[in-house]
Amino acid sequence: MPAKIISCVNLKGGVGKTAIATNLAAFAGRLGKRTLLVDLDPQTNTTFSCMEVDAWEKHAIEKGTVADLFGLRSQGNAEGKVKEVKDVIYPNAYANVDLVPSHLDLFTIDLDLAAATARERKLQKALKPILDSYDLIVCDCPPNLTVPTQNALALSTHYLVPISPDYLSGIGIGLLVTRVKQLAEDLDHKILLAGVVISRVGRPAISRQQTVAAVRAQFGAQVLATEIKERASVADAAAKHKSIFDMGDANAAQEFTDMGTEILKRIGVIP
């Protein structure tokens, strides 16, 4: 079965996107699913949730990062070849989960690729040799619809919208869905909304209950039943380069288990 590819996208930061992407990948790996986690955010939060800074610096120099796959760091290796995806993968970031780490070079990618042809398809082309090696690919995108996010969506079978229960997150969903639909039409590519995840519940927010109620009323069954609470253990897990399932917080682990189960069922990774 071809890999299911899901992008975590939102136009706003601070919505728990990285925690959802990393722990969804970790959950799939715990089920024995061969999983690839692709960090497309130049802030590298997903990368540093999986590996230490020193290890990342060494890997970036010796093996490369996602920036190499876009041709942003196109220096060749000793054999004169540009780095390929098999070179840049960081194996076993979590059990059964490999990582394509990000790089700060992505901050200027829209300028660097301004005149590039088929720039929305570069990631798809780069990952093509290894797509059959995985059951699931999870892309963590920056909080915008610039070139990295466009590449993730052009590759993906599904996309997921994490939101926090605040007003701006709530009103941005409709705009995001409309823009993704337009991009899919422009690229002649089918991509399905896997769902909306309400995250960081309990975080201080204006009109929290009204926002959640409005989102559920507007998007109905597209909103996951599971809500992810704001917990110190989630941040601690990232700081310790672990998944939430290795932190000893049974309640948090159960929430991410329920979330992962809902998502993987929706996209057809598990029955």
Side-chain angles (χ1 to χ4, degrees), residues 17-58:
K17 181 170 50 62
T18 294
I20 287 170
T22 54
N23 288 298
L24 173 61
F27 175 69
R30 289 169 66 88
L31 294 182
K33 302 298 180 182
R34 299 165 300 169
T35 304
L36 179 67
L37 181 58
V38 183
D39 188 2
L40 289 158
D41 191 336
Q43 296 180 85
T44 65
N45 290 331
T46 289
T47 297
F48 294 146
S49 294
C50 300
M51 60 193 302
E52 296 183 357
V53 173
D54 290 346
W56 171 78
E57 290 179 342
K58 184 173 187 291

Side-chain angles (χ1 to χ4, degrees), residues 68-84:
D68 292 273
L69 304 184
F70 283 106
L72 302 182
R73 306 174 75 234
S74 56
Q75 67 274 17
N77 58 24
E79 289 77 31
K81 297 179 180 178
V82 174
K83 291 184 174 66
E84 300 176 358

Side-chain angles (χ1 to χ4, degrees), residues 105-123:
D105 283 345
L106 292 187
F107 273 120
T108 58
I109 188 172
D110 281 56
L111 293 174
D112 296 331
L113 297 184
T117 57
R119 64 179 189 168
E120 299 89 356
R121 300 284 190 181
K122 285 186 172 292
L123 184 63

